[in-house]
Amino acid sequence: MTYLSRLDLHDVVRKEAAALLQSRLSDALDLEAQTKQAHWNVKGPHFLQLHELFDRVHDEVEGFVDLIAERITTLGHIADGRVQTTAARSALYEYPLQAVDGVAHLKALAGALAQFGARVRANIETATGVGDADTADLFTQVSRECDKQLWMLEAHLVTGESAA
């Protein structure tokens, strides 16, 4: 812990919750960078629509980053958002540098977002189990929005053949 607080959670609970949150912060920072990678590099017939979509997804993920980091500091710990930490600790797939067209970027982002969402959902129960209902609630909030963003991406991948 980095500072004393009047927060009525035991130090052990805070430490365990902060560790969960830090894992997701590293993933969220990676996901945020991946959304910008897609935004900057998408090409093809639906360029403008996807360019704008990826920017909106980025803004939502940036919100996740802030929520998670602020909860870590609320618990009395340091939110480690350094690039080196993110690169070393992110559990997400590495973004494919060869992605160019919209479909390749949509698939890459949808995969990373689904992976992030699954980890966040697992952390809901873990945070509850360690005794931090507020962190579990934060993860629930992030999970809901993550699912919505995944839906937005995957809707662009549906074709007449895959809709059946």
Side-chain angles (χ1 to χ4, degrees):
M1 191 164 340
T2 61
Y3 73 94
L4 293 176
S5 171
R6 291 173 182 82
L7 192 63
D8 66 340
L9 291 175
H10 192 277
D11 291 348
V12 172
V13 173
R14 290 186 202 194
K15 183 178 181 178
E16 290 182 31
L20 286 174
L21 289 156
Q22 182 59 54
S23 294
R24 293 303 66 79
L25 179 60
S26 292
D27 290 350
L29 286 164
D30 184 6
L31 184 59
E32 183 182 17
Q34 289 189 30
T35 61
K36 276 302 184 181
Q37 182 71 20
H39 170 78
W40 295 325
N41 291 292
V42 67
K43 307 283 186 283
H46 302 288
F47 163 77
L48 185 57
Q49 181 184 13
L50 293 176
H51 181 75
E52 291 173 354
L53 172 65
F54 297 153
D55 213 25
R56 286 192 304 273
V57 174
H58 168 269
D59 291 348
E60 292 299 329
V61 173
E62 186 176 46
F64 303 164
V65 168
D66 205 42
L67 274 173
I68 294 167
E70 288 177 355
R71 181 67 183 160
I72 293 169
T73 60
T74 298
L75 293 171
H77 291 264
I78 294 173
D80 188 350
R82 297 174 297 169
V83 172
Q84 298 87 341
T85 302
T86 299
R89 295 187 181 166
S90 176
L92 300 183
Y93 301 122
E94 185 175 340
Y95 200 84
L97 196 55
Q98 69 277 13
V100 176
D101 71 0
V103 171
H105 285 292
L106 285 162
K107 286 180 178 179
L109 276 184
L113 199 56
Q115 191 181 26
F116 177 73
R119 293 186 192 302
V120 167
R121 249 183 300 290
N123 289 156
I124 294 168
E125 290 192 32
T126 307
T128 301
V130 301
D132 187 354
D134 293 327
T135 295
D137 185 56
L138 179 147
F139 283 137
T140 300
Q141 177 183 352
V142 170
S143 173
R144 259 192 313 271
E145 190 57 41
C146 186
D147 291 351
K148 180 180 174 185
Q149 296 307 311
L150 181 58
W151 167 59
M152 294 288 181
L153 293 173
E154 288 180 334
H156 288 80
L157 293 169
V158 174
T159 64
E161 298 162 4
S162 63

